[in-house]
Amino acid sequence: MTIRALVVDDSMQLRRSVMYALQRIGDIVCVEAQDGAEAIKKFQAGHFDIVLTDINMPVLDGLKLTAHLRSDPANAELPIVIITTEAAEEDRDRALKLGANAYLIKPVKAQEVLDTVQQLLKLAPIP
């Protein structure tokens, strides 16, 4: 089964870093979006198994993207991972209340991303 991941961040470097980490999973297709609005368009054009998004982005931020995705009952089980520089507890709480499943603080290690995605998708750990 191929896993489809949507990686949303206005930093191309961070998108590539996250996608590089995810490639260790094996059968995965990563699709990039540079902000929440582009992510919604890509989401409407295809199915995704997981979304990894920043919070601070132009046009539509990651919290609004999370709220938008959660507003559709079809996405109730979709794992959403926030990867952000926002380290305050209230930011984390807000993201989780909006429906995020995990909250990672930048700079994030590739193994942390990988472990989080494996846990949320219930995949076997990669040695």
Side-chain angles (χ1 to χ4, degrees), residues 30-103:
C30 294
V31 176
E32 299 176 65
Q34 62 185 354
D35 59 52
E38 183 180 354
I40 290 170
K41 288 179 188 170
K42 297 209 175 189
F43 207 90
Q44 291 169 340
H47 166 79
F48 292 96
D49 299 298
I50 191 163
V51 174
L52 300 98
T53 183
D54 187 15
I55 288 180
N56 299 314
M57 297 178 290
V59 186
L60 187 72
D61 69 35
L63 294 177
K64 289 178 184 162
L65 172 62
T66 299
H68 176 82
L69 293 174
R70 288 293 186 238
S71 71
D72 182 347
N75 298 326
E77 300 299 316
L78 174 72
I80 300 173
V81 179
I82 303 286
I83 303 175
T84 183
T85 57
E86 302 298 333
E89 194 65 31
E90 56 267 15
D91 293 319
R92 181 182 186 283
D93 290 346
R94 184 169 168 218
L96 295 176
K97 283 179 185 167
L98 286 172
N101 299 85
Y103 194 89

Side-chain angles (χ1 to χ4, degrees), residues 25 100 123:
I25 291 173
L123 302 174

